[in-house]
Amino acid sequence: MTTQDVFFYVFSLLTLVCGALVVLNPFSRNPVTSAMFLVLTIVSMAGLFVLLHAFFLAAVQILVYAGAVMVLFLFVIMLLDIKEEQRRRIKTFGLVAGGASVAAIVGIFAYSLFQSKLGPASPAPLVAGATRPLGELLFSRYLLPFEMLSILLLVAMVGVILLSKKDLK
Amino acid sequence: MQFFDLLSQNEQFLLFSALKVLGVFLVVLPMVGASVLAERRVSAWIQDRIGPNRVGPLGLLQPLADGVKTMLKEDFTPNHVRKAYFWLAPAITVIPAFLTLAVIPFGSQLGSQKMVIADLNVGILYTFGIVSLGVYGIVLAGYSSNSKYPFLGSIRASAQMISYEIAMGMSVVPLFMLVESLNLSEVIAYQAGGAWLVFKQPLAFVIFLIAAFAETNRLPFDLPESETELVGGYHTEYSSMKFLLFFLGEYANMIASSAMMVTLFFGGWTLPVMGLDAPATSILGGLAHVGIFIGKIGLLMGLFIWVRWMLPRFRYDQLMDLGWTRFIPLALANILVTAVVLWVIH
């Protein structure tokens, strides 16, 4: 087992364990704890990206999700009254629905994994870590999806502003 | 030297990286002490006092005395805190401050070694990522303290730091349009020969500098701890070593952002005189470059300290207004203008 393999297993284990602790923490029902475990999950996923030589993705993952989105989550959790959340029991319906969707996703992944032919053990990265080729790909081959995502984000942004305005003139 | 030849490439890399990390720590920690002393002496001069001058010659050993005093105090944990986060918060504050230093080239070469711990090709993005994690320390400190002043302080801190991160991130985009790389070593190579980016992008520098004040919670933007209304903000409940860690984190953050500004805007370790622009060929030249880098950081730290004792604190709504309605549009306009100019030139 090479050093890379060791790191891969460490990071994947961290991702899975922390991800589970976000929703299913036996020691605490505190939303802040869940949020902090979600941060750890995100950071360990960034570690997995680094192992794939996707440095740009890793940096952006930490910058956007861990650094901005999760801080806003914490902000909101701290501002809201969280005592009710802490007291609430886990609902059966939520448990069943969650379990079913996880099973469905695992099924889809397993199906596509067994359907596809496996490549060489460590293929050359499609876009070696550098930012320039990634940008060039985004603005040539993947321009349409990229622009569509931008419009989607814009729509979400307008929607948020509309919802957060108390009185529209 | 025979010992080095016996090691494999990998082992040499590990050894030298460890040495560089150790070296950076051994330089930065005394720098924190020196800046605390400078802060106290400069504030005294500005307010027409003398300042600490009793411990050692000219009061030079004062930081040592301060450090020992703080460590020997009772480490008191109030009963009403959330223990786990209360212990975690000071550490989370200090670690990002030191992690950012990993990608900053603090010199050209010593022997065959490049004077940077990790020469990442996404250096700047890495820095912003790590800096954005720094806010967790303050937020958790306020949350875990479980009392109103720290809580208000941490709420302020999280809103302020997120807001100014946006302006800060946008202000450096024009630099990388000019340099055409995110690697900090290449940013310095571009500036060799005196073409410092502070002259080409003065607006970007001004936005970055002011955002740096907000990110490090320094006056005029030290609302998270403003002692007149919030007692001490997020670290009200902390004492002894844990308080010292917050203190250390603040100064380490200032040093890290000064180092970042030197690298991005003031040519890093280069100086456009006496052939100091090219990577050093001798050990002496290499040391001179490290010295130049530290000297430039010192000048910017002086600016940080000077501003703190000259300007009054902003009001909170003024701070947010400045960030969102002034700096972010300005930074966006700067990106647009730079793009148009580059398009016309090419």
Side-chain angles (χ1 to χ4, degrees):
Chain A
M1 210 156 57
T2 62
T3 335
Q4 286 224 337
D5 289 342
V6 173
F7 275 118
F8 172 76
Y9 286 117
V10 167
F11 280 128
S12 8
L13 194 72
L14 264 177
T15 311
L16 292 175
V17 170
C18 294
L21 285 175
V22 173
V23 286
L24 210 71
N25 193 336
F27 305 108
S28 129
R29 293 277 294 144
N30 186 345
V32 172
T33 309
S34 296
M36 290 315 292
F37 274 115
L38 191 50
V39 173
L40 273 183
T41 314
I42 289 164
V43 172
S44 13
M45 273 169 75
L48 289 175
F49 280 135
V50 168
L51 287 179
L52 288 172
H53 295 274
F55 299 120
F56 180 78
L57 270 184
V60 169
Q61 168 100 355
I62 289 187
L63 180 62
V64 174
Y65 288 102
V69 174
M70 286 315 296
V71 177
L72 285 177
F73 267 44
L74 262 188
F75 190 78
V76 173
I77 292 173
M78 283 167 63
L79 275 180
L80 295 177
D81 189 23
I82 53 170
K83 293 194 185 73
E84 197 183 328
E85 276 296 312
Q86 272 173 319
R87 251 185 274 120
R88 208 169 66 188
R89 313 292 307 163
I90 301 175
K91 281 181 186 158
T92 330
F93 173 73
L95 211 62
V96 171
S101 35
V102 167
I105 290 174
V106 167
I108 292 172
F109 275 148
Y111 179 73
S112 53
L113 201 66
F114 287 117
Q115 287 294 307
S116 59
K117 285 195 204 88
L118 290 181
S122 54
L126 193 63
V127 181
T131 320
R132 181 190 292 264
L134 187 72
E136 277 166 0
L137 268 182
L138 271 184
F139 281 101
S140 54
R141 202 170 138 194
Y142 299 107
L143 184 62
L144 185 66
F146 181 72
E147 295 291 343
M148 274 158 72
L149 275 180
S150 314
I151 291 173
L152 192 68
L153 280 176
L154 185 68
V155 169
M157 224 148 74
V158 173
V160 166
I161 292 170
L162 205 70
L163 285 176
S164 60
K165 273 227 177 240
K166 282 201 188 86
D167 50 328
L168 293 168
K169 277 165 200 147
Chain B
M1 278 294 121
Q2 257 183 341
F3 168 68
F4 287 121
D5 297 333
L6 286 175
L7 297 170
S8 71
Q9 201 84 35
N10 245 334
E11 286 165 333
Q12 278 193 14
F13 171 74
L14 283 178
L15 180 70
F16 280 117
S17 295
L19 280 179
K20 282 185 229 171
V21 172
L22 192 69
V24 167
F25 262 96
L26 287 182
V27 171
V28 170
L29 288 179
M31 270 174 87
V32 170
S35 14
V36 175
L37 180 66
E39 177 108 57
R40 298 185 63 182
R41 291 309 294 259
V42 169
S43 71
W45 285 331
I46 288 174
Q47 297 170 341
D48 203 14
R49 295 182 284 119
I50 295 170
N53 67 344
R54 293 288 126 175
V55 190
L58 297 169
L60 281 177
L61 296 179
Q62 184 68 40
L64 211 63
D66 285 349
V68 170
K69 181 196 77 176
T70 322
M71 269 187 261
L72 291 180
K73 283 193 172 183
E74 185 192 353
D75 191 358
F76 183 72
T77 309
N79 255 334
H80 55 77
V81 300
R82 296 178 171 90
K83 289 255 164 33
Y85 291 126
F86 192 76
W87 280 75
L88 212 58
I92 300 183
T93 314
V94 173
I95 293 168
F98 283 100
L99 278 180
T100 40
L101 293 168
V103 287
I104 291 172
F106 49 89
S108 54
Q109 281 184 327
L110 275 184
S112 60
Q113 285 296 312
K114 272 183 105 172
M115 281 295 103
V116 49
I117 295 171
D119 203 11
L120 286 186
N121 60 14
V122 289
I124 184 73
L125 279 176
Y126 164 86
T127 318
F128 277 112
I130 299 295
V131 165
S132 66
L133 293 182
V135 65
Y136 283 112
I138 294 179
V139 169
L140 286 182
Y143 170 72
S144 65
S145 293
N146 221 351
S147 65
K148 50 182 174 284
Y149 294 126
F151 185 74
L152 282 173
S154 72
I155 289 281
R156 281 186 183 181
S158 52
Q160 165 179 341
M161 287 171 89
I162 289 183
S163 310
Y164 277 83
E165 237 161 59
I166 300 171
M168 198 182 214
M170 282 181 174
S171 73
V172 295
V173 170
L175 302 191
F176 299 103
M177 290 159 77
L178 289 172
V179 179
E180 297 182 354
S181 169
L182 291 172
N183 185 315
L184 291 173
S185 298
E186 279 170 45
V187 174
I188 291 179
Y190 176 88
Q191 298 180 75
W196 290 1
L197 282 163
V198 65
F199 302 123
K200 290 193 173 175
Q201 289 287 344
L203 183 64
F205 172 65
V206 170
I207 296 173
F208 192 94
L209 179 72
I210 295 173
F213 276 102
E215 286 287 305
T216 51
N217 297 320
R218 291 282 294 186
L219 248 140
F221 301 131
D222 69 337
L223 290 134
E225 44 186 308
S226 58
E227 53 281 315
T228 42
E229 40 186 309
L230 293 186
V231 191
Y234 58 90
H235 55 54
T236 306
E237 308 284 353
Y238 283 89
S239 58
S240 184
M241 195 61 206
K242 297 203 200 76
F243 175 77
L244 192 67
L245 279 178
F246 280 117
F247 204 72
L248 187 71
E250 180 183 334
Y251 280 86
N253 260 328
M254 278 163 66
I255 290 173
S257 52
S258 299
M260 205 64 212
M261 278 189 273
V262 168
T263 311
L264 289 176
F265 295 101
F266 293 97
W269 41 263
T270 64
L271 210 60
V273 287
M274 300 194 301
L276 282 168
D277 269 344
T281 45
S282 62
I283 294 280
L284 202 65
L287 287 177
H289 278 149
V290 176
I292 290 170
F293 189 71
I294 294 175
K296 284 179 180 175
I297 292 180
L299 288 179
L300 278 174
M301 290 293 287
L303 180 72
F304 266 100
I305 292 169
W306 182 36
V307 167
R308 173 168 178 187
W309 298 98
M310 296 306 279
L311 294 179
R313 184 177 296 135
F314 272 53
R315 227 173 45 218
Y316 194 65
D317 58 319
Q318 291 172 329
L319 170 92
M320 289 315 237
D321 190 53
L322 194 70
W324 286 98
T325 64
R326 307 282 156 79
F327 285 148
I328 291 177
L330 261 182
L332 277 174
N334 197 21
I335 295 174
L336 204 65
V337 169
T338 312
V340 170
V341 168
L342 281 177
W343 181 54
V344 169
I345 287 174
H346 286 300

